[in-house]
Amino acid sequence: MEFTQLIDGRSETSETSFDVINPATGKVFAKSPNASKAQLDAAVAAARRAFSSWRSLSFAERRDYLQRFGQAFKGYIEELIPLLVREQGKPLAAARSELSYTPLQIERLCALEVPTEVLRDNAQGRVELRYRPLGVVGIITPWNVPISIAVGRITQALYTGNTAIQKPSPYTPLTTLKMGEIARDIFPPGVLNILSGGDDLGPWMTAHPGIDKISFTGSVATGKKVLASASSNLKRVTLELGGNDAAIVLEDVDPAKIASEIFWAAFANCGQICLAIKRLYVHDNIYEPFCEALASLARSVKVGDGLDPEVQIGPVQNRMQYEKVLDFLEDTKRAGARILAGGHALDGPGYFIAPTIVADIKEGTRLVDEEPFGPILPVIRYNDVEDVIRRANDTRYGLGASVWTNDVKKGAAIAARLEAGTTSVNQHNLPDPHIPFGGAKESGLGREYSSLGLKSYMEAQVINIPAAQPQGMK
Ligand code: NAD
């Protein structure tokens, strides 16, 4: 299968390419084009040319283009499922659900509106607050949920009248490139460009003077580099970064009833979700049965190649991440924690790690203090609610958090005190296009989704109109 980039409405290969590895086998199975600086410059020039006519379309006209794209994409979902599984590693059902979300996500985002606001309309005059598109948006995305993250950002950028250049992670570029091939026949040339590259392409984009905004989704460390680089021409920046989400389980719950939901909120996508539970605080009175319920789930799930329909958890997505998670594991063992399930890599050529439940561990270890982003969950004991709130908040991360209890009112009061962008009761929510999503503290800057997200792809403009023409100004 050949993979091409989308530049100025044309499919383009590149002079060089790089290998794409299937994490379930550890073997190269395809090659991706490797964009040159000249190709980025061409894409930026095309996006700038396309901007003036694209911005002058109405929201309804742009919605129509996006919906046509969503419908066309629908026709390719079955073909793309095995490709997404092979490059990303996730199980078939998860790939199907990620890809099927594309038309729905477009539909829901394009149901939002950004109306002009009238701030004043009286004898003094009329003051309007309008929102104008910014220009060219650079969209940089990670490897864990490559399609739905890209589609969310592309839709918000295009719907609000911007043109865009999107760059997938070099670990998972292929399904995104195929998406570009579908988009080629729908959008006017230059409106959407999709480029795939190695380590240089992201920094070229963030420093490019022809790009007006960067929407970046990835790790905290890279997010800080993006922010520094984007300051060269004061690009607008949205950063959706890593998390180390705490979930607090109060003593009034029945472990048997909620263990499965908590387990999947931590281990779906092999633990590689920004908004996964990564620190689980469980009250002392139910600690042992809760740990045992989680461990028995961890021992029973089927881990393997996502192409096997029975598989529930696939491999870690890439070798670097796999080694990082194994390092966390070694550190955890050195700290003397109790490994209740898993705790080791699985045999085979792929990047498989047994789902791991760790008990008797606390703050001060890497597993609790940092984001592992893999199939390993620390279960931390606590006795006192005030103490656990303090410990949950004692971090530079702030993406999500949750409280699990039979007393929803009490749960909501605790959730409101947790320092994170999204805090929930009896769920650990995933983004919804109508609800703002983003991180507090070092988990991000700004919000995606909802009208708040749409406005982040726009510049606010105040228009002052006098009530009547002053004398002598005819
Ligand atoms: P990463 O930061 O390594 O890479 C993300 C993207 O940035 C990739 O496309 C990469 O090629 C590019 N990149 C790398 N260096 C760059 C640079 N100097 N300048 C510009 N771009 C550069 O992250 P990852 O390992 O792909 O993804 C995992 C991380 O993403 C985790 O921390 C996870 O929590 C986070 N994440 C956050 C969200 C969210 O919405 N908050 C969603 C998904 C993933």
Side-chain angles (χ1 to χ4, degrees), residues 375-393:
I376 173 167
L377 179 69
V379 190
I380 311 154
R381 203 186 285 268
Y382 78 90
N383 276 302
D384 174 66
V385 170
E386 287 305 314
D387 178 54
V388 79
I389 294 173
R390 183 192 57 72
R391 289 160 75 187
N393 286 337

Side-chain angles (χ1 to χ4, degrees), residues 141-144 167 170 202 216-219 222 240-242 274 371 437:
T141 48
W143 45 256
N144 61 335
K167 181 199 99 61
F216 172 82
T217 310
S219 62
T222 312
E240 290 288 0
L241 308 179
C274 53
E371 180 192 39
F437 179 70

Side-chain angles (χ1 to χ4, degrees), residues 18-22 25-31 86:
F18 60 86
D19 293 338
V20 182
I21 291 172
N22 177 345
T25 62
K27 297 209 166 60
V28 176
F29 79 101
K31 287 201 174 290
R86 288 173 87 196

Side-chain angles (χ1 to χ4, degrees), residues 99-173:
L99 293 165
S100 306
Y101 186 47
T102 295
L104 190 68
Q105 183 172 205
I106 292 173
E107 197 70 43
R108 300 210 60 208
L109 280 169
C110 291
L112 294 164
E113 283 173 12
V114 188
T116 294
E117 295 163 40
V118 178
L119 304 182
R120 179 200 294 154
D121 194 9
N122 57 19
Q124 270 181 288
R126 183 178 166 93
V127 180
E128 291 180 358
L129 179 59
R130 296 184 177 208
Y131 294 89
R132 306 156 57 100
L134 291 166
V136 177
V137 178
I139 299 167
I140 301 177
T141 48
W143 45 256
N144 61 335
V145 199
I147 296 303
S148 79
I149 292 177
V151 169
R153 282 38 167 180
I154 289 169
T155 305
Q156 292 175 97
L158 266 49
Y159 181 49
T160 49
N162 304 280
T163 54
I165 294 160
Q166 202 253 314
K167 181 199 99 61
S169 163
Y171 291 115
T172 53

